[in-house]
Amino acid sequence: MGVTAFVLKYRLPNDKIMLDKSIGPLQDAQQAIKIVRQRAKEWNIDPKKIGILGFSAGGHLAATAGTHFNKPVIENREGISVRPNFMLLINPVISFTDKIGHIGSRDNLLGPSPTEEKIKLYSNELQVTEETPPTILIHSDADQVVPVANSVEFYRALKENKVSGELHIYAKGEHGFLTAPSFDEWFGRCIFWMKSMSLI
């Protein structure tokens, strides 16, 4: 398809190895985007077409990268943009609110007693602006792990901020799409979207 893919092995939040575990994973995501953009010419990559793909809790990290790029949490003396140009969010954790959030992910990232300010900061549906990258969201209505409302609310926020977005909700299929929909089905939607957005 003409896509160069990089797999990011990011650090999981851990008080033992991080001064502030709430930014640890985001540091790794921002550093990855910075490196790829910095070396785009060497790797024959269009620096204006660097996207991020994330699943479940990784979807939260991807969405955070796409909504928190104006406040870099890495050293960036060169001033290289850490904003992804587009996002693909699959069954993503988006919110940390009590109503629709995935509390396990919230506890892992923010600890068991986060402040309301921190909860709001990392509820990415509340951090969308007109600068948020175009996004495709794919989720299952039958997801019992991460409520589909996470994707719905992020899509709603995109629309309110006039950001291009696409949302696919499957009636069947568990978290992670182990039985349905098939890979070719849901990833086919991603391919169509990337083509329609002139990303590939």
Side-chain angles (χ1 to χ4, degrees), residues 16-160:
K16 293 180 180 178
I17 62 168
M18 298 174 181
L19 294 175
D20 180 358
K21 70 177 181 179
S22 71
I23 63 169
L26 182 58
Q27 287 177 317
D28 295 351
Q30 288 187 348
Q31 187 67 32
I33 294 168
K34 178 187 173 189
I35 289 170
V36 173
R37 191 160 276 134
Q38 205 166 19
R39 300 181 67 177
K41 186 174 182 180
E42 174 188 347
W43 292 332
N44 196 28
I45 294 168
D46 187 339
K48 296 179 181 176
K49 293 183 178 180
I50 295 173
I52 192 164
L53 164 68
F55 301 78
S56 193
H60 184 269
L61 176 55
T64 305
T67 53
H68 290 67
F69 53 85
N70 279 327
K71 295 179 180 177
V73 290
I74 59 170
E75 188 174 296
N76 188 9
R77 294 177 184 172
E78 306 90 340
I80 295 168
S81 172
V82 294
R83 175 188 180 272
N85 297 107
F86 60 97
M87 299 190 290
L88 299 91
L89 306 179
I90 317 300
N91 299 314
V93 173
I94 294 291
S95 184
F96 280 171
T97 62
D98 290 338
K99 186 175 181 182
I100 65 169
H102 188 263
I103 305 307
S105 295
R106 184 178 82 183
D107 289 351
N108 286 337
L109 192 68
L110 305 182
S113 303
T115 64
E116 286 299 319
E117 183 181 14
K118 279 275 195 179
I119 290 172
K120 182 178 180 182
L121 180 64
Y122 287 99
S123 291
N124 291 319
E125 78 279 16
L126 304 177
Q127 304 303 322
V128 172
T129 70
E130 60 186 13
E131 295 181 273
T132 300
T135 304
I136 183 170
L137 299 122
I138 299 179
H139 218 119
S140 168
D141 193 48
D143 193 328
Q144 297 296 308
V145 178
V146 178
V148 70
N150 280 262
S151 287
V152 172
E153 289 304 314
F154 196 81
Y155 178 77
R156 180 177 288 125
L158 293 174
K159 295 296 93 190
E160 288 176 355

Side-chain angles (χ1 to χ4, degrees), residues 128-195:
V128 172
T129 70
E130 60 186 13
E131 295 181 273
T132 300
T135 304
I136 183 170
L137 299 122
I138 299 179
H139 218 119
S140 168
D141 193 48
D143 193 328
Q144 297 296 308
V145 178
V146 178
V148 70
N150 280 262
S151 287
V152 172
E153 289 304 314
F154 196 81
Y155 178 77
R156 180 177 288 125
L158 293 174
K159 295 296 93 190
E160 288 176 355
N161 287 276
K162 298 180 171 55
V163 175
S164 179
E166 190 162 318
L167 171 63
H168 293 270
I169 300 175
Y170 291 96
K172 297 184 182 295
E174 61 287 284
H175 189 69
F177 300 153
L178 302 176
T179 59
S182 68
F183 173 80
D184 288 343
E185 164 57 33
W186 71 260
F187 194 64
R189 303 312 102 223
C190 294
I191 294 170
F192 178 84
W193 178 75
M194 286 190 286
K195 287 180 177 178

